Amino acid sequence: MANRRSGRRSQRTPRRGPLVGGGLLVALCLVSWGWLAVWAIGLLAGAAALSWWGWRAHRHAVAGEREWRRQDAVLANNRSLADVDELSGTQFEELVAARLRADGCTEVERVGGGGDQGRDIAGQLPDGRGMVVQCKRYAPHRAVGAPAMQRLLGTRTHFAADIALCVTNTRYTAQAVEFARANGIALVHRDLLGPWLGGARLDTLIELNGAGLGDRRHLRVWRRAYGDGPRRRRTPRPGTPTS
């Protein structure tokens, strides 16, 4: 009787060893697959991020090359003063900005237009000094006067710039030159603009600071070359007899 009972008990007792082992194996597989999925997602995300970064870098390089070619075209197409005289005010500002970049100036930005607060171009010289630039594209027979220098001085003070530079395709009046030199404003006039477009360095032009202007001999030569411009027709005063 005892043997039969013990045999029945042994037959009824479930064998848990294989079930537990199988469960552990399934759990390990699930964990392994989970880690593999995490690694796969991480690799895909990394590959996507790397591809995005490469695309951005390529796009930036292409944009930079396109901008460089545009700047080079601007300089190449305006090497003569006769070409510069035909530019609009905005085109003249773009030309000056391109020449500043070619001289190693950084963060050069054309900001001319409504609300520019007196600065057509902002940027930094190669040595890191901040600058504000005013561009004056006039007919060659005209001259930039002292009021423009006064406004530029206020602009330099307002933006706390180290250098104030005025560039024109014409000349400055004697009063403008006197005011600029007294207040540390750098001047580039027509006789210096030509060499600058030809490759002269900006730092050498700043040292000259408008040299060659102001005397009567230069003014006579200038007027023989460009004239006085169209003369204004005087309107007779009321009551004045006319012939």
Side-chain angles (χ1 to χ4, degrees), residues 105-126:
C105 298
T106 59
E107 300 183 15
V108 177
E109 179 185 4
R110 191 189 72 81
V111 294
D116 61 3
Q117 295 181 312
R119 57 174 184 172
D120 294 324
I121 300 172
Q124 291 185 354
L125 293 170

Side-chain angles (χ1 to χ4, degrees), residues 127-140:
D127 58 10
R129 287 180 296 170
M131 65 177 175
V132 290
V133 184
Q134 183 65 237
C135 302
K136 297 294 184 183
R137 209 286 306 164
Y138 289 163

Side-chain angles (χ1 to χ4, degrees), residues 19 22 25-26 42-43 49 61 76 78 90 93 97-98 124 137 139 152 156 159 163 166 190-191 193 209 221 223:
L19 295 177
L25 181 61
V26 171
L43 290 175
N78 298 283
T90 298
E93 293 170 5
Q124 291 185 354
R137 209 286 306 164
L152 184 54
R156 185 184 67 184
F159 290 101
I163 295 293
C166 190
R190 189 178 185 87
D191 293 344
L193 179 61
N209 197 19
V221 172
R223 285 177 174 171

